[in-house]
Amino acid sequence: MRFRHPDGSTVHLAYCTNVHPAETLDGVLAQLRDHCEPVRRRLGRDRLGIGLWLARDAAHALITDPGSLRALRAEIDRRGLEVVTLNGFPYEGFGAAEVKYRVYQPDWTRPERLAHTSDLARLLAALLPDDVTEGSVSTLPLAWRTPFDSRAEDTALAALTNLAERLDALEELTGKSIRIGLEPEPGCTVETTADAIAPLTALSSPRVGICLDTCHLATSFEDPPTALGALGTAGIPVVKAQLSAALHAEHPHLPEVRDALAAFAEPRFLHQTRTRTAAGLRGTDDLPEAVSGRALPDGAPWRSHFHVPLHAPPEPPLTSTLPVLRATLALLLGGPRPRTHHLEVETYTWQALPADRRPRNRARLADGIAAELTLARDLLTDLGLKELP
């Protein structure tokens, strides 16, 4: 979906296909047919943006077979879809029964991460619509926090510097500008936007900036004006924003609140949980640790890294952090010029929701994704953007 900002530039809205995990090229093609096109039809649009997730095997197949890449581009066009952004965070196995810590491997200290992200950039340059010259790829924020030392940081930053040079060469070759966004995430070495400023300043490349995930921002209790103000002062671009909402528990000391949170504890993904104290942010790596004992103080609200559907917040006594998303979007797009041109709805946890809230079939899932995109569209038009055909 495309929108015209009051300054005349185009803002792209997509939804991320990591909600339909597939490891192979055949699986990606099936996603387009079984999920993406039905969502587009529900929205009554001739064109729908998707934030494509290409796992290692699918990306390798496309890089090594130009004919397959041309066929994918043709299939995207045929189904009324377009791609201006890729989710390069998960490397493989995102559809496994247990993902947890494995999603952070390989990290930016490993050559496989550089090779894979370079491949994604080349693929995106080939998949961009003919009238679009800028693409974005989101990636993990260097590494999980342990083990990670100064030597590991030097290795990761050297890899990103290498990547920036490759992206310069790619633009010279193709005329397409591809940028990379580190995605701060709780528990990682770059957990917050503040943590990103030092490494990104050290890189000093306009090719590498921030992918701002509003669920992660909220989980870490970051203040959107403060976060975006600091990024602006440091000259760090918001390459992409992921529109998502976290779980919020206002009164975690109450047994009924703990029980409600426990319903979201599940075996597939990590759900880092945070609270604010006088001494600073406190947290656990996963939701079960928080709800089962005294790992976290419970005198102040808790937030958990669980991407809840934007249009369907949890039942009381829980809520979502949709207000943080709204505030962030207003700061990104409500001014005279957009702070980013790429937006991606990224609720990948539909099948990890409590059993009574999960979509029971493909049609229900398509309905839910279309409802999320409708909400995001309405937020954009409320900010003065005009939806384009």
Side-chain angles (χ1 to χ4, degrees):
M1 299 169 75
R2 297 187 185 192
F3 297 81
R4 182 75 67 207
H5 189 272
D7 79 337
S9 63
T10 301
V11 172
H12 295 267
L13 172 66
Y15 90 90
C16 187
T17 64
N18 63 354
V19 65
H20 320 298
E23 302 289 315
T24 65
L25 180 54
D26 284 345
V28 172
L29 294 171
Q31 286 175 352
L32 305 181
R33 178 192 67 227
D34 296 338
H35 299 288
C36 302
E37 186 177 11
V39 170
R40 178 183 65 76
R41 292 186 182 279
R42 279 164 172 75
L43 291 166
R45 306 296 301 163
D46 293 333
R47 174 172 53 190
L48 175 68
I50 55 172
L52 200 58
W53 175 58
L54 296 172
R56 178 197 63 174
D57 288 350
H60 181 72
L62 291 166
I63 281 289
T64 55
D65 183 358
S68 292
L69 180 55
R70 288 192 295 270
L72 175 61
R73 169 66 186 268
E75 188 70 358
I76 289 169
D77 293 342
R78 187 171 76 85
R79 298 198 179 275
L81 308 170
E82 67 177 9
V83 177
V84 304
T85 188
L86 300 181
N87 188 329
F89 196 136
Y91 179 75
E92 62 183 348
F94 202 59
E98 181 178 332
V99 179
K100 299 290 184 182
Y101 294 95
R102 289 189 294 170
V103 75
Y104 306 106
Q105 295 297 330
D107 61 30
W108 275 101
T109 67
R110 303 266 299 278
E112 302 98 299
R113 176 60 65 174
L114 172 60
H116 178 61
T117 311
S118 299
D119 286 348
L120 293 180
R122 290 170 55 195
L123 293 172
L124 181 55
L127 293 174
L128 286 176
D130 292 339
D131 63 341
V132 174
T133 58
E134 295 185 356
S136 60
V137 180
S138 48
T139 188
L140 81 162
L142 301 187
W144 186 250
R145 67 180 185 276
T146 56
F148 196 81
D149 55 19
S150 58
R151 177 176 293 184
E153 182 174 14
D154 290 344
T155 301
L157 293 182
L160 284 166
T161 299
N162 187 327
L163 177 65
E165 294 169 352
R166 297 184 186 191
L167 297 178
D168 288 340
L170 182 64
E171 182 171 13
E172 290 184 11
L173 180 66
T174 66
K176 306 291 187 178
S177 173
I178 308 298
R179 296 194 296 171
I180 305 298
L182 300 186
E183 183 183 333
E185 177 163 308
C188 292
T189 185
V190 175
E191 174 159 339
T192 66
T193 57
D195 295 333
I197 289 175
L200 290 176
T201 301
L203 281 172
S204 188
S205 169
R207 301 285 184 189
V208 187
I210 282 279
C211 170
L212 190 64
D213 185 304
T214 57
C215 170
H216 303 173
L217 187 82
T219 301
S220 294
F221 287 89
E222 290 199 75
D223 175 59
T226 301
L228 284 165
L231 291 173
T233 299
I236 293 170
V238 181
V239 170
K240 168 181 175 179
Q242 289 177 323
L243 308 184
S244 54
L247 276 176
H248 179 94
E250 186 68 19
H251 302 293
H253 65 285
L254 296 176
E256 60 267 30
V257 176
R258 294 287 186 105
D259 290 345
L261 282 170
F264 286 84
E266 53 84 33
R268 186 170 173 188
F269 301 111
L270 278 186
H271 301 295
Q272 302 91 318
T273 304
R274 299 290 185 265
T275 188
R276 286 184 292 192
T277 72
L281 208 61
R282 289 275 303 277
T284 61
D285 283 355
D286 211 350
L287 187 53
E289 304 166 45
V291 298
S292 63
R294 298 184 177 276
L296 280 185
D298 58 10
W302 289 1
R303 289 177 177 173
S304 188
H305 172 217
F306 194 117
H307 290 220
V308 294
L310 301 185
H311 70 293
E315 297 292 331
L318 303 179
T319 59
S320 84
T321 61
L322 186 62
V324 176
L325 187 160
R326 291 177 184 271
T328 304
L329 200 58
L331 292 166
L332 288 171
L333 294 168
R337 290 178 299 279
R339 292 283 298 270
T340 187
H341 290 88
H342 291 177
L343 306 172
E344 179 182 67
V345 171
E346 199 216 10
T347 306
Y348 59 83
T349 43
W350 281 94
Q351 298 303 333
L353 289 166
D356 62 342
R357 296 177 61 86
R358 295 174 195 166
R360 294 192 296 271
N361 51 46
R362 288 178 186 168
R364 292 290 181 87
L365 178 57
D367 289 342
I369 294 169
E372 287 195 291
L373 287 166
T374 297
L375 183 149
R377 179 196 65 197
D378 291 346
L379 292 178
L380 292 175
T381 56
D382 287 347
L383 290 172
L385 281 74
K386 180 183 178 181
E387 187 175 6
L388 299 175

